[in-house]
Amino acid sequence: MSVRVRFAPSPTGFLHIGSLRTALYNYLFAKHHGGTCILRIEDTDRTRFVEGAIEEQISSLAWAGVTFDEGPHVGGNHGPYTQSERFDMYREYGMKLVVNGTAYYAFDTAEELDAMRVRQQAAGIAPKYDRSAMRNQYTLGEQETQRLLSENAPHVIRLKVPLHQDVRFSDEIRGEVIVNGREIDDQILLKSDGFPTYHLANVVDDHFMEITHVIRAEEWLPSTPKHIILYQAFGWEPPTFAHVPLLLNPDRSKMSKRHGDVMVRDFAKKGFFPEALVNFVALCGWNPGSDNEFYSMQELIDTFTLDRVNKAGAVFDYQKLNWMNGEYLKRRDVHDLARELHPVLVERGYTYIDPAYVAEVIELVRERVAFLGDIAEFADYLFGDTLEPLTETGAASLSGNDTLTTALDTFRQGLDAASLADADAFKGLAQRAAESAGIKMGAFMKPLRLVLTHREVGADLFRTVQLLGHTRCLARLNAYLSR
Ligand code: GLU
């Protein structure tokens, strides 16, 4: 049997980083087994529908390299892939359970249900539908039930949970799970407006879409016993389940906005490489079983197995993600990077943006930043003609220093093509200039950098000067010396 998995988001917002990981694990598992990865939109809750969320989620996933073989946007033989287009089917299958006695009609009003909960709270018992005390098919009897139905009395369909039976299933990550029927609520399957709940729609779809493995977030684990009962009620074979651990903040609380970005598009906007984010997220909760921390998508596909997904929640370490992005910045093809940086340089109105030149700048400074976009700011003195104004301390360190002026002047006079040709010639020139003014070479490099770049720190000065070229260096020295 070939593997079929699905990622089943609800269009209630933009793609969360935790959802990216769930989708990614589904994708990796499917591709590892030569299987099929399906996108299904779970939009049964129309009140929480967010306009544009589906499109945003699909494009965020595509940005990260997670694509689907079947889905509302690509088609397939098991559609429609959007639940709101399958409502008739849920109703039909919900009613089948009423007919075979595994689900039943209930007529309770909201007030009656509230009163039930208050009674239960007062008695110190967990809130749960009290089948024997409420107004439903069993307490009212067949005749009264039929009468109410013929009058169109508002009603729901509830799952008849077998009360004294253990429900068991084996989770690929969490192992054997056993829950007693007494602890499971008689879940509503069809609401009074005839719409299905998540549980019914989810099970019907997983069955008819021939899903073999349900890989989803741990928060759905408590729902799974209900789903197992539903599979039994329909007489269907349940899929294999795997519940992946939560992503946590550094303080081990559930990952939330308060601690940083949580939406995939925020990470994209910040300038993370999709490859770095995917690599990092894959390792949040999955242990590849080796010391290697760097995985391309293909390597993840080759290596990923569910038995190496941890049970415990995974802390999302923003610092480590930054570091990893920096590592990708160091490793990625410099010409690709130059192409990606181009629009940023154009937007900032820089003059020196020839791709080959930009590639050399990136090569020079990429060790010193974590984000490609930071290079524009970090090395602005290499991309533009004009310099940012000197900082106050920078200006103060240069002013009223005659020996320094002498050294810079000597340097200016010696500056020519030959002095830019190799590091030794440059060093020789700088040394002569420093000596002529009686200052140490070490003490000369910092002001020289300041004058040429208006920065106190930066990449290797010789390479910087080489990239600036004779004309720009001279112009900057002149600007300083003519003050
Ligand atoms: N619609 C659910 C969600 O938003 C899907 C849960 C599942 O995969 O069964 O996460």
Side-chain angles (χ1 to χ4, degrees):
M1 188 174 51
S2 92
V3 162
R4 288 174 63 82
V5 298
R6 85 305 192 268
F7 174 60
S10 297
T12 53
F14 298 144
L15 189 74
H16 189 279
I17 188 79
S19 300
L20 170 63
R21 193 193 50 171
T22 303
L24 177 67
Y25 284 1
N26 273 284
Y27 175 82
L28 297 176
F29 183 78
K31 298 297 144 188
H32 184 91
H33 293 281
T36 306
C37 190
I38 297 156
L39 177 70
R40 180 171 77 223
I41 304 301
E42 301 209 328
D43 58 347
T44 51
D45 188 352
R46 304 302 293 176
T47 57
R48 294 178 60 216
F49 185 83
V50 170
E51 200 58 48
I54 297 173
E55 294 74 14
E56 195 281 337
Q57 295 201 17
I58 292 173
S59 76
S60 279
L61 288 162
W63 172 82
V66 176
T67 55
F68 298 92
D69 306 300
E70 295 175 26
H73 58 313
V74 288
N77 294 328
H78 295 69
Y81 294 93
T82 301
Q83 290 189 328
S84 55
E85 293 170 33
R86 299 167 69 86
F87 278 156
D88 290 347
M89 192 172 181
Y90 307 132
R91 177 134 197 98
E92 178 189 341
Y93 278 85
M95 292 314 293
K96 278 188 204 276
L97 298 186
V98 176
V99 171
N100 79 11
T102 53
Y104 60 93
Y105 294 107
F107 300 89
D108 317 281
T109 62
E111 294 73 32
E112 287 167 337
L113 290 168
D114 283 345
M116 174 192 84
R117 272 178 226 119
V118 169
R119 281 199 305 278
Q120 288 172 335
Q121 214 161 25
I125 48 179
K128 181 170 171 292
Y129 185 73
D130 189 348
R131 197 190 301 157
S132 60
M134 301 301 286
R135 288 200 308 126
N136 56 52
Q137 203 172 344
Y138 301 111
T139 54
L140 299 172
E142 276 315 308
Q143 229 179 341
E144 176 65 1
T145 298
Q146 288 311 320
R147 193 188 65 76
L148 286 170
L149 289 175
S150 67
E151 278 180 2
N152 279 329
H155 63 272
V156 300
I157 306 292
R158 283 185 182 271
L159 177 65
K160 186 179 178 195
V161 171
L163 281 183
H164 300 290
Q165 219 166 288
D166 280 340
V167 179
R168 5 175 125 237
F169 63 96
S170 170
D171 187 282
E172 292 293 289
I173 296 165
R174 319 202 61 91
E176 200 66 12
V177 179
I178 306 174
V179 182
N180 192 271
R182 272 186 312 256
E183 293 163 40
I184 305 169
D185 205 6
D186 277 6
Q187 179 64 50
I188 295 177
L189 302 177
L190 286 169
K191 298 185 264 188
S192 55
D193 55 9
F195 280 22
T197 54
Y198 153 75
H199 306 277
L200 176 63
N202 190 269
V203 165
V204 168
D205 285 350
D206 282 344
H207 175 72
F208 285 104
M209 293 181 182
E210 299 181 57
I211 301 303
T212 57
H213 295 76
V214 168
I215 303 168
R216 63 182 169 201
E218 188 184 288
E219 59 185 301
W220 300 103
L221 187 62
S223 297
T224 309
K226 293 174 187 171
H227 299 178
I228 297 289
I229 296 171
L230 272 168
Y231 282 102
Q232 288 166 353
F234 283 120
W236 297 337
E237 188 67 36
T240 301
F241 289 94
H243 288 89
V244 304
L246 292 177
L247 288 184
L248 305 176
N249 291 312
D251 64 3
R252 302 200 72 83
S253 59
K254 199 175 158 185
M255 205 174 154
S256 68
K257 268 199 204 109
R258 269 184 306 120
H259 289 75
D261 287 334
V262 289
M263 297 301 172
V264 171
R265 67 194 226 143
D266 296 333
F267 289 95
K269 248 189 243 154
K270 261 221 169 125
F272 284 101
F273 294 118
E275 299 90 335
L277 188 64
V278 160
N279 189 155
F280 176 79
V281 156
L283 293 175
C284 282
W286 170 69
N287 170 5
S290 95
D291 287 341
N292 178 22
E293 294 191 280
F294 295 96
Y295 294 86
S296 66
M297 189 65 102
Q298 189 55 50
E299 288 163 341
L300 288 173
I301 290 170
D302 295 341
T303 328
F304 184 82
T305 54
L306 285 173
D307 61 359
R308 288 195 162 277
V309 176
N310 304 328
K311 272 200 203 84
V315 172
F316 193 92
D317 183 343
Y318 286 93
Q319 251 164 358
K320 178 144 190 210
L321 173 59
N322 285 346
W323 167 81
M324 184 162 265
N325 202 68
E327 290 300 309
Y328 271 81
L329 183 55
K330 282 180 216 157
R331 287 154 196 246
R332 284 202 38 196
D333 180 81
V334 73
H335 298 287
D336 287 346
L337 293 174
R339 213 170 306 122
E340 288 166 36
L341 188 59
H342 188 78
V344 181
L345 300 177
V346 170
E347 198 191 305
R348 293 176 72 111
Y350 290 135
T351 334
Y352 297 82
I353 58 172
D354 168 69
Y357 172 79
V358 172
E360 289 191 77
V361 174
I362 293 173
E363 190 66 71
L364 174 63
V365 304
R366 63 172 162 184
E367 293 242 341
R368 291 162 185 271
V369 293
F371 294 96
L372 178 62
D374 289 352
I375 288 179
E377 164 73 31
F378 184 85
D380 73 331
Y381 50 85
L382 281 162
F383 296 120
D385 265 320
T386 49
L387 292 173
E388 296 270 309
L390 274 170
T391 61
E392 241 173 76
T393 47
S397 76
L398 288 178
S399 77
N401 188 333
D402 290 344
T403 44
L404 181 60
T405 307
T406 309
L408 286 167
D409 194 27
T410 312
F411 183 85
R412 169 173 68 169
Q413 284 168 31
L415 193 68
D416 56 14
S419 58
L420 294 181
D422 65 74
D424 284 340
F426 168 77
K427 242 172 135 182
L429 172 62
Q431 204 132 32
R432 279 194 306 280
E435 270 167 21
S436 72
I439 50 177
K440 288 218 169 68
M441 169 76 160
F444 181 51
M445 295 308 269
K446 198 174 158 194
L448 182 58
R449 180 189 295 281
L450 254 177
V451 168
L452 294 173
T453 69
H454 280 194
R455 300 286 174 89
E456 287 176 45
V457 289
D460 177 74
L461 189 57
F462 164 62
R463 274 298 291 153
T464 305
V465 166
Q466 232 181 3
L467 287 173
L468 282 173
H470 189 240
T471 316
R472 271 194 289 175
C473 285
L474 212 53
R476 290 174 189 186
L477 285 162
N478 285 338
Y480 171 74
L481 290 167
S482 64
R483 250 185 244 166

